[in-house]
Amino acid sequence: MAQFFTIHTENPHLRLIKQAVNIVRNGGVIVYPTDSCYALGCQIGDKSAMSRIRTIRQVDEKHHFTLVCRNLAEISLYARVDNAQYRLLKANTPGSYTFILQASKEVPRRLQHPKRYTIGLRIPDHPVALALLEEMGEPLLSSTLVLPGDELPMNDADSIRQRLEQQVDLVMDAGSCGLEMTTVIDLTDEVPMLVRAGKGSLDPFGIEHGS
């Protein structure tokens, strides 16, 4: 049965952060808050935990996970980033964006796009998520918390607990996170391409709405 932490959004208690990280390091799947909506998270190299997230979401092997990172240095470790891409990333992180980039050798092949060898990465603008990442010292492997049959992500921690208490190891309640998912931008080409419109503005990328 899942543990349930009520955690302060602006000043998360370090003791609870450390407990959450310990759960992740021991193979756990957690529900944690981000600046766009709640997400499922686990350790990068944990195949079993990743499989559990796929089961919760009822998605197949083709589902793309996101590496949620604490800073640009971490993104640069897991993705190949040129100068133009770095400038865009620096200007728009942290924030409600997921960026598609060429994966580096640090990314396990099973996490990469099977043909393009790309990976989605983001830096969240949320104190709880950033505190988790800082304590982890590595990215969280994540997927938006949208359950089968639902059109929108889950946003109420009590409801999350009721529906997932037998399937996850921890629910971190930081209040409402919102229902709008990240904007996904593909930076693998010279011109940024919109993959999914979401919470993050398209203006910094020269992309028109409806593109």
Side-chain angles (χ1 to χ4, degrees):
M1 187 172 290
Q3 295 188 59
F4 189 86
F5 294 170
T6 300
I7 192 161
H8 195 282
T9 304
E10 296 301 325
N11 297 293
H13 199 294
L14 184 58
R15 178 180 58 83
L16 295 178
I17 294 295
K18 286 180 179 291
Q19 284 182 256
V21 168
N22 189 52
I23 288 169
V24 172
R25 286 179 176 155
N26 282 287
V29 171
I30 66 169
V31 174
Y32 72 100
T34 77
D35 51 328
S36 57
C37 40
Y38 277 95
L40 294 155
C42 70
Q43 198 163 24
I44 292 175
D46 196 322
K47 293 180 184 178
S48 174
M50 184 172 73
S51 177
R52 288 171 61 197
I53 291 178
R54 282 202 176 103
T55 299
I56 292 167
R57 291 282 319 269
Q58 288 188 19
V59 293
D60 60 21
E61 299 288 324
K62 296 177 182 177
H63 175 73
H64 297 305
F65 285 83
T66 298
L67 293 186
V68 180
C69 302
R70 56 186 160 151
N71 53 35
L72 285 174
E74 209 160 66
I75 283 184
S76 297
L77 179 63
Y78 290 91
R80 300 207 296 272
V81 180
D82 65 24
N83 289 337
Q85 292 167 335
Y86 187 86
R87 285 193 295 271
L88 277 173
L89 291 169
K90 188 174 182 181
N92 295 285
T93 56
S96 297
Y97 297 98
T98 299
F99 296 102
I100 307 298
L101 292 160
Q102 292 297 139
S104 74
K105 292 179 181 179
E106 296 294 323
V107 180
R109 183 61 64 88
R110 68 181 179 277
L111 301 184
Q112 301 177 28
H113 186 283
K115 294 180 180 177
R116 299 181 63 213
Y117 306 113
T118 53
I119 185 72
L121 307 103
R122 68 171 301 224
I123 302 174
D125 189 13
H126 193 289
V128 175
L130 290 172
L132 274 172
L133 295 165
E134 192 63 40
E135 187 66 26
M136 280 285 295
E138 65 179 16
L140 274 169
L141 186 65
S142 289
S143 183
T144 304
L145 181 50
V146 182
L147 294 185
D150 291 356
E151 291 186 12
L152 297 171
M154 296 196 71
N155 191 39
D156 178 72
D158 286 323
S159 297
I160 294 169
R161 184 185 195 178
Q162 288 172 14
R163 291 181 68 178
L164 291 180
E165 65 180 352
Q166 302 297 333
Q167 295 172 271
V168 302
D169 300 285
L170 171 65
V171 175
M172 302 184 77
D173 176 11
S176 173
C177 292
L179 299 170
E180 201 169 5
M181 292 186 275
T182 59
T183 294
V184 181
I185 305 286
D186 189 333
L187 295 181
T188 57
D189 212 339
E190 288 185 14
V191 178
M193 296 287 291
L194 177 64
V195 177
R196 180 185 72 199
K199 189 174 181 181
S201 170
L202 301 180
D203 296 342
F205 305 95
I207 300 171
E208 294 183 6
H209 290 265
S211 296

